[in-house]
Amino acid sequence: MKTLNMILMATIATLLSACNSEKEYDATGTFEATEIIVSSEASGKLFYLNAEEGTRLSQGTEVGLVDTVQLYLKKLQLQASMKSVDKQRPDIRKQIAAIQEQIATAKRERARVENLLKANAANQKQLDDWDSQLTVLQRQLDAQISSLQNSTASLNEQSSSVAIQVAQVEDQLQKCHILAPINGTILAKYAEPGELASVGKPLFKIADIENMYLRAYITSSQLATIKLNDPVKVFVDFGNGEKKEYNGTVTWIADEAEFTPKTILTNDERANQVYAVKIAVRNDGTIKIGMYGEVKF
């Protein structure tokens, strides 16, 4: 009888221990990082690509370069065209100087004839002739100014068009320089120097592994107990019973439920639908992508 009681107590203790172990966490999941596959934005020979796996890069660091020779020559050609257009632009002030001088002379002659007419030393026809000549000269001046202005406007449009083409080439030249889009570590390299790059061709994958996310799953009953920006405790499982605790923050909660992934354990094993959450964790260098983690709210 005493032996039977001891067996029952041991069994109960085991069950209680199992229950307590099940309550050690509220949710489980795996760690993710913000991963970006950087692709080429230009076509040409890849001169160099310093994107070895494991390399730590800062945002904006130049990683590689695609051939820029043809684009640079095109830019020089367009700049020469712009200079040619600028030289064709007329100097309106100089172009109309001659006819303005003719008008000034005609006005002086008309004034002289008008004075002579007042002194009865000239006739009305002479004055009318000068009035007519002034009218003709003024019309010629207006027509010349209009023509020169139209020509200048057309050349300005050509110059603007060439300037836009230069800006387009400069943008293409800038895209030949391959830059790191974020602070992160190179995870994979897909191209080598000397290969032919094309627009859209993947070159390397980079991820921010200093700021990791644990994608965990919670049941509908747990949903009411957490909200965005809530602090939580995250436990990383290194295997062989070794765990490490981190501080985490809830940054995202799914709007729709989904069926429980087969690899995920929930606090309520009867739950067949769960909500995904993302918990931000600052990585000290030990957390790896895909590693298993547990959450305690």
Side-chain angles (χ1 to χ4, degrees):
M1 189 67 178
K2 185 177 179 180
T3 303
L4 180 61
N5 288 336
M6 291 179 63
I7 294 174
L8 288 174
M9 290 177 65
T11 303
I12 293 173
T14 302
L15 291 174
L16 289 174
S17 175
C19 290
N20 289 334
S21 65
E22 289 178 356
K23 296 298 183 179
E24 287 180 359
Y25 60 86
D26 294 313
T28 64
T30 55
F31 283 95
E32 302 175 350
T34 301
E35 299 180 5
I36 298 176
I37 296 178
V38 179
S39 300
S40 176
E41 296 184 85
S43 297
K45 184 179 179 180
L46 191 60
F47 280 163
Y48 70 89
L49 183 63
N50 298 328
E52 300 304 323
E53 295 177 358
T55 304
R56 173 70 183 169
L57 298 175
S58 299
Q59 183 178 12
T61 301
E62 183 168 318
V63 181
L65 179 67
V66 178
D67 184 11
T68 61
V69 174
Q70 294 302 317
L71 287 174
Y72 181 70
L73 292 176
K74 185 177 181 180
K75 178 182 177 181
L76 294 180
Q77 181 184 12
L78 291 170
Q79 289 176 334
S81 298
M82 183 176 291
K83 290 180 180 179
S84 176
V85 171
D86 290 338
K87 289 181 179 179
Q88 295 176 32
R89 188 174 285 107
D91 188 336
I92 297 179
R93 185 178 60 84
K94 291 182 179 180
Q95 293 280 356
I96 64 175
I99 195 168
Q100 284 179 329
E101 183 63 29
Q102 293 178 22
I103 290 175
T105 300
K107 286 181 177 179
R108 289 195 298 269
E109 289 299 323
R110 182 192 179 284
R112 187 175 66 81
V113 171
E114 185 177 19
N115 291 332
L116 290 174
L117 182 60
K118 292 178 180 179
N120 295 324
N123 54 50
Q124 184 64 37
K125 183 178 181 305
Q126 290 176 310
L127 184 62
D128 293 342
D129 288 343
W130 282 112
D131 286 338
S132 177
Q133 187 171 350
L134 274 171
T135 301
V136 171
L137 289 172
Q138 188 62 49
R139 289 178 178 175
Q140 290 177 352
L141 176 62
D142 294 341
Q144 189 173 10
I145 290 175
S146 177
S147 176
L148 290 171
Q149 288 177 340
N150 290 337
S151 178
T152 300
S154 176
L155 291 171
N156 287 339
E157 291 296 329
Q158 292 182 36
S159 180
S160 297
S161 176
V162 175
I164 292 172
Q165 294 179 59
V166 171
Q168 290 175 333
V169 173
E170 288 177 343
D171 179 65
Q172 292 173 345
L173 283 169
Q174 186 64 37
K175 289 178 178 177
C176 289
H177 297 266
I178 304 163
L179 308 179
I182 59 172
N183 295 327
T185 302
I186 303 297
L187 299 182
K189 185 179 181 181
Y190 304 124
E192 296 292 338
E195 293 183 4
L196 185 64
S198 58
V199 176
K201 178 181 179 179
L203 301 177
F204 62 91
K205 181 194 290 185
I206 186 172
D208 181 8
I209 60 175
E210 287 189 357
N211 299 286
M212 304 285 284
Y213 292 93
L214 177 66
R215 179 181 288 271
Y217 295 86
I218 59 175
T219 62
S220 57
S221 61
Q222 294 174 305
L223 188 62
T225 63
I226 65 170
K227 60 182 182 298
L228 292 178
N229 299 319
D230 274 356
V232 299
K233 294 296 182 181
V234 176
F235 300 89
V236 181
D237 189 351
F238 293 97
N240 297 324
E242 183 183 355
K243 292 186 179 182
K244 190 173 182 180
E245 181 180 330
Y246 293 86
N247 293 321
T249 304
V250 178
T251 58
W252 175 77
I253 302 174
D255 295 327
E256 297 181 0
E258 58 183 284
F259 289 104
T260 307
K262 294 181 179 179
T263 58
I264 298 299
L265 297 176
T266 63
N267 196 35
D268 183 1
E269 294 301 329
R270 296 170 299 177
N272 57 7
Q273 282 197 325
V274 292
Y275 293 84
V277 297
K278 290 178 71 173
I279 299 168
V281 179
R282 184 72 176 178
N283 188 9
D284 59 0
T286 57
I287 304 176
K288 307 299 180 183
I289 297 173
M291 189 175 285
Y292 181 78
E294 301 169 350
V295 185
K296 187 72 175 178
F297 298 129

